[in-house]
Amino acid sequence: MNAQKRLEIFTRLRDENPAPKTELEYASPFELLVAVTLSAQATDVGVNKATRKLFPVANTPQAVYDLGVDGLKGYIKTIGLFNSKAENVHKACRLLLDLHGGEVPEDREALEALPGVGRKTANVVLNTAFGHAAMAVDTHIFRVSNRTRIAKGKTVRQVEDGLMKHVPKAFLVDAHHWLILHGRYTCKARKPECGRCLIEDLCEFNEKREYLD
């Protein structure tokens, strides 16, 4: 895919949704960190249902730590892998208190040192909470990037690096959200809705004609 096509794709996505946001509900970098940690192999809808009960009771590292692991489990037990997630969030809260004064660090290495926080979660926090040009490649972004040929790659890291290289700089901060939303609602896994796709004429997906309405 050439640079002109990429520019037009992101121009259209921006024009349709000038201020894209995550569908996870949060009111602080810490709430976002917890929500993203809980979202692994879970839906945003499911995470939001749990955090709507959790955050009014505990939404700081100290408050969540004081709940204890079992207390935290009571709020997130509807989420997949809640046992291990509760352990990780509790341990992360302790480290935030001990090493960062109870604040979420604006630093990739420090974020990835927290239990349950990998590169993707760190990228989400850096991008969404702090406005960094970071690309958190989830299953939606991986699929959209490869299908459209915006950035091809066999691994998540290859796609991330390709997007960081090829997405026009003016769109880098918001590109993560546009691509996730496009993958979630239009460029779906089993049956992409090419017939109503905003960028169908620019997309280089070879099989898209099978899905036209």
Side-chain angles (χ1 to χ4, degrees):
M1 177 173 285
N2 61 45
Q4 188 58 42
K5 271 191 178 182
R6 292 190 183 96
L7 177 62
E8 179 61 23
I9 284 172
F10 285 101
T11 298
R12 291 185 191 179
L13 292 174
R14 180 193 62 191
D15 289 348
E16 182 186 47
N17 186 5
K21 300 184 186 305
T22 178
E23 293 186 324
L24 289 170
E25 297 171 0
Y26 73 99
S28 70
F30 175 70
E31 288 189 1
L32 178 65
L33 175 65
V34 172
V36 178
T37 302
L38 296 178
S39 72
Q41 298 182 47
T43 66
D44 288 359
V45 171
V47 172
N48 289 337
K49 286 181 180 178
T51 57
R52 284 172 196 157
K53 297 177 181 178
L54 171 64
F55 289 155
V57 175
N59 68 342
T60 66
Q62 187 67 63
V64 173
Y65 185 79
D66 289 344
L67 284 177
V69 175
D70 289 338
L72 180 56
K73 285 180 183 179
Y75 288 98
I76 67 170
K77 61 186 177 182
T78 56
I79 298 174
L81 308 175
F82 73 93
N83 285 307
S84 59
K85 290 176 180 179
E87 295 275 0
N88 284 334
V89 170
H90 194 255
K91 291 176 182 176
C93 287
R94 183 72 267 167
L95 289 179
L96 290 175
L97 292 166
D98 290 346
L99 302 179
H100 304 289
E103 299 294 328
V104 175
E106 192 176 342
D107 175 80
R108 177 187 302 284
E109 186 176 353
L111 285 167
E112 291 187 27
L114 297 173
V117 178
R119 184 176 182 86
K120 184 177 74 172
T121 296
N123 278 339
V124 173
V125 174
L126 290 170
N127 175 262
T128 304
F130 298 116
H132 289 217
M135 198 68 61
V137 179
D138 70 348
T139 182
H140 297 300
I141 292 182
F142 186 83
R143 179 175 67 253
V144 171
S145 298
N146 274 291
R147 268 187 182 164
T148 60
R149 308 297 194 264
I150 291 172
K152 294 176 64 178
K154 294 182 179 179
T155 67
V156 167
R157 185 58 188 271
Q158 286 176 351
V159 170
E160 178 187 335
D161 291 344
L163 288 169
M164 293 302 295
K165 177 181 179 181
H166 294 302
V167 174
K169 289 184 178 180
F171 301 96
L172 265 178
V173 171
D174 289 324
H176 159 249
H177 296 301
W178 286 318
L179 292 173
I180 284 180
L181 293 170
H182 192 67
R184 185 172 288 166
Y185 296 110
T186 303
C187 195
K188 300 174 183 178
R190 293 188 178 182
K191 190 175 181 182
E193 299 183 10
C194 301
R196 66 175 190 84
C197 177
L198 184 71
I199 59 171
E200 185 273 333
D201 58 313
L202 302 168
C203 172
E204 297 180 5
F205 180 39
N206 291 332
E207 300 172 40
K208 62 186 174 184
R209 294 187 182 278
E210 297 179 19
Y211 305 101
L212 291 172
D213 293 336

